[in-house]
Amino acid sequence: MERRKFMMVGGGVVAAAAVGAAGSRVGAGVGTEGQLSTLASNLGLSGDEARGALQTVTPPGKYDPYYMFASGGHLGQIQVLGVPSMRLLKVIPVFSRDSYSGHGFGADLGNALIEGGSDPKKNGPLGWGDSHHPALSETAGEYDGKWLYVNDRANGRIAMIDLGDFKTKQIIDVPNMGSSHGMCVTPNTEYAHISSLTPRPITADGYAPLEKYADLYRGFSTWYFIDPKTGRMVPEKSFQIELPPYNQDLADAGKLASHGFGFINSFNTELAVGGTHAMPMPIEAGATKNNFDYLQVIDWKKAEQVVAAGKFVKRNGMRVITLSVAAAEGVLHFIPEPRNPHGVDVTPDGHYIAISGKLDPHVTVFSIEKIKDAIAKKKYQGKDRYGVPIIPMDAVLEAQVEVGAGPLHTQYDGKGNAYTSLFIDSAIAKWTLGPKSGVTEKPFTFVEKIPVHYNIGHLAIPGGDTVKPTGKYVVALNKWSLDQVQKLGPTHPVNLELIDLDSRPLKTLSSMPLGNSEPHYAQIIKTEKLHPLKVYKPGTDPATMAKSLFATVASQERVKRAGTVVDVYATLMRSHFSPGQITVTEGDTVRLHLTNIETTENATHTFSLPAHNIQASLDPGEVVNVEFKADRVGSYAYYCAQFCSALHMEMYGWLLVAPKKA
Ligand code: RUQ
Ligand code: CUA
């Protein structure tokens, strides 16, 4: 077999000795390696740059071995990138309308999600969201490739995406929560967890003056029970734990040694509410006074028992364990953690919980064994103002590792190392886990730092938050790109950077500026773990993945009128709509039942009716229902917006809305 290999010497590229048969074919001239070497130097590439290009190339027709599911921030969607090529493969619409996929422009599923996924009494109706923390479903602590959950930071909502067809299937406006941040799933996808970011008044109308902040505002930790067959969240089997009005930050579920626990860090234990025009006092000033905030330790197994014993109240339809019950029943404990923490990341073995300091140069590592012991022996230093027992930090502290300025998030490589993003330093710090990790005898030690460009938020390693990280790469999700891209006007793209974990010292392989969104967090999963559909079974309703009642087959197309309601059973096929003419009367309610009767992979069509702001996209086999009121007289052309065939331009039809007869 021919092997092509660059050998890096210093900063330059030299041709490696050709291996095997290929070598003998080289002859007197420059071999393949030599040609590549010449090419690299002609292009002005350093050895590392050439190496990075080769290590990240995914040739035409070949696939990346990993999917990266990245949130899109206030784009409101989920984006799928291939790793290591870093190609953007797909955008999955979730919280925001999206005209490409027809999400929220008339098609029944998208409309139900966009319009039904927000509580009109609270925030809705909403047309956008801020997707933050994707959480892949897990079996025995490893990603299983079935479903993906993600929180809406803006509105306290949670969504479920089916990885069978890469489509959003459920959005819930979480009762009692106005915004969210902490999101994770438990190791067997027993629950999807979402916690609040800013607290919300627990009054009936959701209003309370800020003078009453301490008494009437509350945070929540919500545990959505997952139906193991469908992946749907089941509100009736779910519960919430009331929390103090501290700002809840990130959350992670315990695993293995810490299974049954959940961890949420917090900031603003000062209860700052900001200042007024007359009395300026920014929240950032008020919320950074204390040297410690609290890590909130939740025993969700105990919470299940408390709920089963009926010790809950119902608030806005949700079973809530009140703060006093949570404190009294041992569901909730606090541990002081250094200044305005960010990121809480349980190690693959579950023994340790790493917290970043944001305003502290350390990562603080707590031990679950010590936490359990302190709880069992009631080793408390007192209670907070809400009666929650506080475990002394030194009783549960395992280590503090000085990593650099502005530590945020930590991921693991499964080889005994941890990697922490450093926002202020614009770097990633590598450090080793302690002996309990089973892979290293070394104590917790700082190893090295690699610069990133610039202002890194999250970072993602394949499986990096599971029980079995697969390592190999880390992606830095950098917020600023500054000088890394040519001028594009004042709005800059974010910059994702791919780093090789197997090189020593760490090396950057490539960067991928992303100009459509600001991904917050990402999870990376092996491609082989997913088995998505290629086409739907004929007549499938993606909401249920079962045969739609409205599925229509070729030659069965029809129009039925009952009073002012017109039902149109239509099919789409290259390159026509059947029927190709629809005539209704002004004021009619039109119900389109559209079936894409294609069985060929990739043969997607749209039903686009611009005059009524309707845009639906149908994959092969898919059924979509669209309802609208034909309230404007006129002749309208509907068309297929997807360039589907040679006669794609001819794929249109006429909707005639005739005037009512006098
Ligand atoms: S957290 S700002 Cu993921 Cu660092 Cu939201
Ligand atoms: Cu169907 Cu273009």
Side-chain angles (χ1 to χ4, degrees):
M1 246 257 272
E2 187 184 48
R3 264 174 66 204
R4 291 169 186 173
K5 198 177 179 185
F6 270 106
M7 188 180 284
M8 307 301 155
V9 177
V13 184
V14 297
V19 183
S24 53
R25 265 192 275 125
V26 167
V30 205
T32 309
E33 292 79 13
Q35 287 164 11
L36 286 172
S37 172
T38 308
L39 181 62
S41 63
N42 286 350
L43 290 168
L45 298 177
S46 72
D48 281 345
E49 286 165 348
R51 192 181 78 120
L54 287 179
Q55 276 185 260
T56 55
V57 71
T58 301
K62 299 245 168 79
Y63 305 147
D64 284 298
Y66 298 96
Y67 293 110
M68 174 160 116
F69 288 92
S71 63
H74 42 295
L75 178 71
Q77 324 295 42
I78 286 284
Q79 315 191 73
V80 190
L81 292 94
V83 176
S85 75
M86 301 303 286
R87 293 177 300 184
L88 177 61
L89 304 174
K90 185 161 218 169
V91 177
I92 305 172
V94 187
F95 296 114
S96 298
R97 292 199 170 90
D98 173 63
S99 49
Y100 177 62
S101 61
H103 189 68
F105 289 100
D108 49 352
L109 175 59
N111 261 35
L113 292 166
I114 291 285
E115 285 167 13
S118 50
D119 179 353
K121 289 199 300 277
K122 225 173 84 181
N123 304 324
L126 299 164
W128 69 280
D130 188 356
S131 62
H132 258 237
H133 300 120
L136 287 159
S137 57
E138 294 181 11
T139 300
E142 284 192 77
Y143 303 145
D144 58 22
K146 290 189 195 164
W147 310 298
L148 179 72
Y149 303 85
V150 64
N151 71 302
D152 172 10
R153 180 249 180 267
N155 300 292
R157 293 186 296 168
I158 183 168
M160 172 266 189
I161 294 154
D162 186 345
L163 296 178
D165 60 356
F166 282 56
K167 283 183 185 156
T168 306
K169 299 296 168 76
Q170 191 182 25
I171 295 179
I172 297 179
D173 198 334
V174 185
N176 307 315
M177 281 177 36
S179 63
S180 71
H181 212 195
M183 167 87 218
C184 56
V185 298
T186 53
N188 291 300
T189 322
E190 296 95 337
Y191 294 97
H193 172 270
I194 177 169
S195 44
S196 49
L197 175 55
T198 43
R200 188 171 184 272
I202 46 173
T203 53
D205 58 3
Y207 166 80
L210 288 167
E211 291 75 44
K212 296 271 169 63
Y213 190 80
D215 297 327
L216 292 180
Y217 284 68
R218 288 291 180 270
F220 286 93
S221 159
T222 312
W223 298 78
Y224 272 108
F225 179 86
I226 305 293
D227 181 321
K229 285 214 180 73
T230 65
R232 309 273 162 147
M233 296 168 279
V234 187
E236 311 79 61
K237 293 189 175 178
S238 307
F239 58 87
Q240 269 178 337
I241 299 157
E242 185 186 53
L243 298 172
Y246 309 144
N247 288 71
Q248 275 71 37
D249 190 58
L250 283 131
D252 200 8
K255 44 186 174 260
L256 300 175
S258 49
H259 184 66
F261 285 90
F263 308 92
I264 310 170
N265 48 22
S266 66
F267 62 99
N268 196 15
T269 47
E270 297 87 345
L271 303 182
V273 294
T276 60
H277 173 65
M279 279 259 295
M281 170 58 153
I283 288 183
E284 63 174 335
T288 48
K289 285 190 177 152
N290 295 350
N291 286 332
F292 293 95
D293 291 286
Y294 295 125
L295 173 66
Q296 320 193 9
V297 180
I298 290 172
D299 186 334
W300 62 260
K301 289 266 182 194
K302 194 160 271 175
E304 279 181 332
Q305 294 163 12
V306 168
V307 170
K311 295 178 198 163
F312 62 82
V313 296
K314 273 237 173 166
R315 279 196 205 144
N316 296 311
M318 178 59 87
R319 301 185 296 182
V320 177
I321 303 178
T322 60
L323 195 41
S324 54
V325 172
E329 297 283 338
V331 168
L332 183 62
H333 289 88
F334 290 166
I335 301 168
E337 49 178 10
R339 287 194 84 186
N340 292 58
H342 195 60
V344 50
D345 299 288
V346 178
T347 54
D349 54 24
H351 282 299
Y352 305 118
I353 303 110
I355 314 280
S356 293
K358 218 157 77 183
L359 300 179
D360 176 283
H362 295 94
V363 171
T364 299
V365 182
F366 294 121
S367 148
I368 190 64
E369 280 78 16
K370 291 179 185 172
I371 292 172
K372 284 183 187 166
D373 185 65
I375 292 173
K377 295 186 178 137
K378 295 203 182 335
K379 255 189 241 170
Y380 302 142
Q381 66 179 44
K383 291 180 174 175
D384 83 330
R385 64 186 289 167
Y386 298 97
V388 181
I390 303 168
I391 301 170
M393 178 169 161
D394 54 7
V396 295
L397 185 69
E398 186 71 29
Q400 284 195 295
V401 187
E402 189 170 337
V403 288
L408 295 185
H409 302 282
T410 299
Q411 290 260 301
Y412 306 97
D413 67 1
K415 294 177 181 153
N417 303 302
Y419 301 81
T420 301
S421 54
L422 304 171
F423 181 83
I424 298 172
D425 270 357
S426 280
I428 291 175
K430 176 179 179 182
W431 49 282
T432 58
L433 296 174
K436 268 220 186 85
S437 63
V439 281
T440 169
E441 284 308 311
K442 287 190 206 138
F444 296 83
T445 339
F446 171 81
V447 181
E448 63 169 298
K449 245 188 236 187
I450 178 168
V452 296
H453 310 85
Y454 301 91
N455 293 359
I456 181 173
H458 279 272
L459 71 180
I461 290 176
D465 58 4
T466 69
V467 300
K468 267 202 202 126
T470 44
K472 204 155 171 66
Y473 303 109
V474 62
V475 176
L477 285 80
N478 304 309
K479 305 293 185 190
W480 284 26
S481 52
L482 291 175
D483 56 1
Q484 297 291 294
V485 286
Q486 60 269 50
K487 297 301 164 220
L488 296 158
T491 303
H492 288 246
V494 301
N495 192 32
L496 311 183
E497 277 180 306
L498 184 73
I499 293 163
D500 182 3
L501 287 186
D502 294 333
S503 62
R504 258 169 224 83
L506 295 168
K507 279 188 177 144
T508 304
L509 295 171
S510 70
S511 74
M512 204 287 232
L514 190 58
N516 71 340
S517 62
E518 190 211 326
H520 276 259
Y521 182 45
Q523 287 182 325
I524 305 174
I525 177 174
K526 279 193 177 151
T527 310
E528 67 199 32
K529 290 209 171 186
L530 270 72
H531 308 283
L533 295 174
K534 288 185 175 165
V535 295
Y536 290 106
K537 276 191 200 144
T540 297
D541 176 357
T544 57
M545 289 301 233
K547 183 115 182 171
S548 165
L549 289 174
F550 303 102
T552 307
V553 294
S555 83
Q556 297 292 308
E557 297 92 351
R558 61 209 181 271
V559 178
K560 279 189 174 171
R561 173 180 281 280
T564 56
V565 178
V566 184
D567 282 287
V568 181
Y569 294 80
T571 61
L572 294 79
M573 173 83 183
R574 279 163 290 170
S575 308
H576 56 271
F577 296 93
S578 308
Q581 296 174 3
I582 302 168
T583 302
V584 300
T585 307
E586 175 188 5
D588 281 351
T589 296
V590 183
R591 302 195 301 207
L592 300 171
H593 311 294
L594 309 166
T595 304
N596 180 340
I597 54 171
E598 301 270 6
T599 51
T600 307
E601 212 179 323
N602 220 150
T604 295
H605 302 286
T606 78
F607 179 91
S608 307
L609 180 57
H612 292 80
N613 201 29
I614 285 165
Q615 163 68 343
S617 183
L618 295 93
D619 290 324
E622 183 175 356
V623 175
V624 164
N625 298 292
V626 175
E627 183 175 323
F628 67 98
K629 191 137 177 119
D631 49 10
R632 263 162 296 160
V633 171
S635 299
Y636 304 103
Y638 52 88
Y639 76 111
C640 167
Q642 187 92 28
F643 204 118
C644 54
S645 60
L647 294 176
H648 153 76
M649 294 293 283
E650 284 78 357
M651 189 164 177
Y652 72 94
W654 288 102
L655 169 75
L656 298 188
V657 183
K660 255 187 215 154
K661 288 196 188 97

